[in-house]
Amino acid sequence: MATVTPMLRKMSLPVLRDSEIRAAFSAWREDQFTLTPAQITQRFYAPDAVLWGTFANEMATTPKAIEAYFVRLHAMQPKRITLQDDHIRFAGDVAVDTGLYTFHFERGGQPLDVLARYTFVYL
């Protein structure tokens, strides 16, 4: 009888751990308010990254398009971003962080909260 090997095995990355991924995501959230769109793009996105932003109508597939998304996001003036729930999974040398976060805005003196899904892939 032949042995079947699954295509994906649950493995821990030797370099990244849950705590490091959570720290990177926390830095991403906090840096939205202290860095420029160009700095965010350079610090958090690989040159071949793909971003389907929370408030985007199309996918950004170049660093210039990713930066343009963050220019638009900054113009919306979010006050903070809070994490609601996250799940980190490992597959070989890839980590995937999926969850829910809330963008907090103020419109006309009233709070406006937008709950959204996210997926970050770490290679």
Side-chain angles (χ1 to χ4, degrees), residues 48-119:
D48 61 345
V50 174
L51 171 68
W52 195 295
T54 300
F55 302 99
N57 293 327
E58 60 186 43
M59 207 177 325
T61 59
T62 66
K64 185 174 180 128
I66 292 171
E67 181 180 341
Y69 169 76
F70 285 105
V71 167
R72 289 188 303 275
L73 178 61
H74 283 196
M76 296 170 68
Q77 300 178 331
K79 301 299 181 194
R80 69 186 189 288
I81 304 167
T82 56
L83 180 64
Q84 306 307 315
D85 191 17
D86 70 332
H87 298 277
I88 298 171
R89 302 290 183 264
F90 298 95
D93 60 354
V94 176
V96 179
D97 180 9
T98 57
L100 294 170
Y101 56 6
T102 301
F103 282 80
H104 302 275
F105 300 94
E106 188 177 301
R107 295 292 179 263
Q110 298 296 316
L112 172 64
D113 297 337
V114 179
L115 181 66
R117 300 178 286 220
Y118 73 86
T119 299

Side-chain angles (χ1 to χ4, degrees), residues 10-79:
K10 186 172 181 179
M11 301 169 61
S12 293
L13 293 171
V15 177
L16 292 176
R17 294 175 179 39
D18 285 13
S19 61
E20 293 168 312
I21 292 169
R22 284 190 175 95
F25 187 65
S26 180
W28 177 90
R29 289 192 337 262
E30 293 169 15
D31 286 350
Q32 297 301 313
F33 307 101
T34 59
L35 298 179
T36 67
Q39 291 169 321
I40 291 167
T41 302
Q42 290 175 339
R43 180 174 287 178
F44 295 104
Y45 295 89
D48 61 345
V50 174
L51 171 68
W52 195 295
T54 300
F55 302 99
N57 293 327
E58 60 186 43
M59 207 177 325
T61 59
T62 66
K64 185 174 180 128
I66 292 171
E67 181 180 341
Y69 169 76
F70 285 105
V71 167
R72 289 188 303 275
L73 178 61
H74 283 196
M76 296 170 68
Q77 300 178 331
K79 301 299 181 194

